[in-house]
């Protein structure tokens, strides 16, 4: 008779770390963070690329731009934006593109994307929202909304970041699983 041992890992999501996950890693208050943006350059942090994804504008199927593949920044800025205001803050791909183009949204209703309201408002033709394409794959597959490339395309690089010191076997196994099972694996 063989016996098998099950190893368990405790996983805790720390929402408070979302604003500055790399600081939390440096302070050893996190073992791992999923980060988006430029590759971390701090030698105290190891990084493992997960995937690259496009940041897209979502509109309803009856929206005037719905037949297009992309939307110009100036046309996007004329829309009513539903979503998180930090989506277009200066350090983000969208915020940087808006700053370079000298435009800003005409009207903003600040709501967390995960509330579902921004997606519903875009679907209803009441404006636009912006998010990574992988967030809305199911809605796109069901043809509930249309995803438009923004300008020539805005891209996000997703990483797993860990402290550079030797990680535990459990953390290494978790990183391997994330790399194996990300949205575009």
């Amino acid at each position: 008779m063989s016996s098998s041992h099950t190893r368990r890992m405790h996983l805790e999501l720390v929402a408070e770390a979302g604003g500055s996950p790399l600081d939390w890693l440096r302070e050893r208050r996190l073992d791992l963070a999923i980060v988006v943006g430029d590759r971390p350059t701090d030698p105290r942090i190891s990084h493992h690329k997960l995937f690259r994804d496009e940041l897209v504008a979502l509109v309803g199927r009856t929206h005037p731009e719905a037949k297009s593949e992309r939307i110009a920044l100036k046309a996007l800025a004329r829309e009513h934006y539903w979503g998180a205001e930090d989506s277009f803050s200066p350090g983000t791909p969208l915020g940087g593109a808006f700053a370079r183009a000298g435009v800003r949204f005409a009207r903003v209703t600040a709501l967390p994307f995960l509330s579902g309201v921004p997606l519903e408002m875009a679907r209803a033709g009441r404006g636009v929202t912006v998010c990574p394409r992988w967030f809305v794959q199911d809605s796109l597959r069901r043809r509930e909304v249309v995803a438009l490339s923004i300008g020539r395309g805005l891209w996000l690089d997703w990483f797993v970041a860990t402290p550079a010191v030797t990680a535990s076997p459990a953390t290494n196994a978790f990183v391997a699983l994330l790399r194996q099972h990300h949205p575009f694996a």
Side-chain angles (χ1 to χ4, degrees):
M1 197 179 253
S2 66
S3 65
S4 64
H5 296 283
T6 303
R7 294 184 183 207
R8 293 186 183 205
M9 171 184 233
H10 174 75
L11 179 64
E12 181 180 346
L13 300 178
V14 183
E16 299 84 42
S20 56
L22 299 181
D23 290 339
W24 282 61
L25 284 170
R26 283 184 206 98
E27 297 164 7
R28 301 295 309 226
R29 293 170 38 191
L30 289 178
D31 295 317
L32 178 144
I34 297 175
V35 295
V36 64
D38 294 330
R39 179 175 156 171
T41 57
D42 187 324
R44 297 172 290 177
I45 297 175
S46 293
H47 61 279
H48 313 274
K49 188 167 183 179
L50 286 177
F51 61 95
R52 188 165 213 232
D53 189 24
E54 186 177 16
L55 192 63
V56 293
L58 300 176
V59 298
R61 294 179 47 163
T62 60
H63 189 279
E65 299 280 346
K67 301 274 189 251
S68 305
E69 290 184 16
R70 47 187 78 253
I71 187 168
L73 282 171
K74 288 183 180 177
L76 181 61
R78 289 191 294 269
E79 296 288 336
H80 182 165
Y81 173 78
W82 298 86
E85 284 185 276
D86 64 355
S87 299
F88 47 91
S89 62
T92 65
L94 183 61
F98 269 34
R100 288 187 296 279
V103 297
R104 42 189 276 194
F105 279 108
R107 185 169 173 211
V108 173
T109 300
L111 295 164
F113 188 84
L114 293 178
S115 70
V117 174
L119 182 60
E120 290 303 317
M121 296 310 279
R123 183 184 339 197
R126 304 295 309 258
V128 301
T129 192
V130 175
C131 71
R133 185 180 292 274
W134 77 269
F135 279 13
V136 291
Q137 282 300 326
D138 289 340
S139 294
L140 294 172
R141 203 172 341 204
R142 291 189 301 264
R143 301 177 37 85
E144 295 171 354
V145 290
V146 175
L148 304 173
S149 292
I150 300 168
R152 293 185 188 148
L154 297 177
W155 295 90
L156 304 171
D157 291 311
W158 293 77
F159 295 91
V160 175
T162 59
V165 297
T166 306
S168 72
T171 299
N172 289 335
F174 189 69
V175 169
L177 285 171
L178 285 172
R179 294 183 84 187
Q180 184 178 0
H181 297 285
H182 64 73
F184 298 111

